[in-house]
Amino acid sequence: VQLVESGGGLVQPGGSLRLSCVASGFNFDQYAVGWFRQAPGKDREGISCMSNREGVTYYRDSVKGRFTISRDNAKNTVYLQMNSLKPEDTAVYYCAASQRVITSALATTSMYDYWGQGTQVTVSS
């Protein structure tokens, strides 16, 4: 089982990034997927998730309207489009997959079965 994130980097405030996460080793289309982030000295927090079949999406309030989660089951990939980035968005971003029914972007890390290694996003001028 593997989840591999990519697309992180350094961006100026107001800029955009698109994160990708490619899954392998499990039936991706049967899993809910989520994105988390962890800033230095802070707990890992959920920011968005998407159900497996219906494609229902959920967002943390602080990213609502700026971030968009999507998935391509044919490519075993989940994306996070991040627009209007702010310095407070700086963190390591992780994707995760869960066999459970996830109905909140605030679901805890224990609700997820598989994790990627993370990709750094830095928003700074």
Side-chain angles (χ1 to χ4, degrees):
V1 173
Q2 200 172 18
L3 293 170
V4 180
E5 300 100 335
S6 62
L10 173 64
V11 63
Q12 292 186 342
S16 298
L17 282 175
R18 187 195 196 201
L19 306 183
S20 300
C21 172
V22 180
S24 61
F26 62 101
N27 295 324
F28 178 76
D29 61 352
Q30 297 179 18
Y31 282 66
V33 289
W35 285 95
F36 287 71
R37 66 186 179 188
Q38 188 166 19
K42 294 188 176 181
D43 292 336
R44 191 172 299 188
E45 64 177 17
I47 54 174
S48 184
C49 65
M50 189 172 194
S51 64
N52 53 351
R53 291 185 177 84
E54 296 82 11
V56 181
T57 58
Y58 304 89
Y59 296 93
R60 173 177 288 269
D61 284 348
S62 60
V63 307
K64 206 172 290 184
R66 300 188 298 124
F67 291 10
T68 302
I69 188 172
S70 61
R71 66 190 295 167
D72 185 338
N73 288 339
K75 295 182 178 180
N76 284 0
T77 302
V78 55
Y79 304 96
L80 185 68
Q81 177 67 44
M82 305 186 295
N83 299 327
S84 302
L85 282 161
K86 304 175 181 180
E88 52 264 42
D89 294 317
T90 295
V92 178
Y93 283 70
Y94 300 88
C95 65
S98 174
Q99 296 184 81
R100 299 165 180 80
V101 176
I102 306 293
T103 57
S104 171
L106 307 185
T108 62
T109 57
S110 62
M111 294 288 286
Y112 287 82
D113 303 296
Y114 305 130
W115 290 86
Q117 82 290 349
T119 185
Q120 176 70 47
V121 172
T122 302
V123 185
S124 175
S125 55

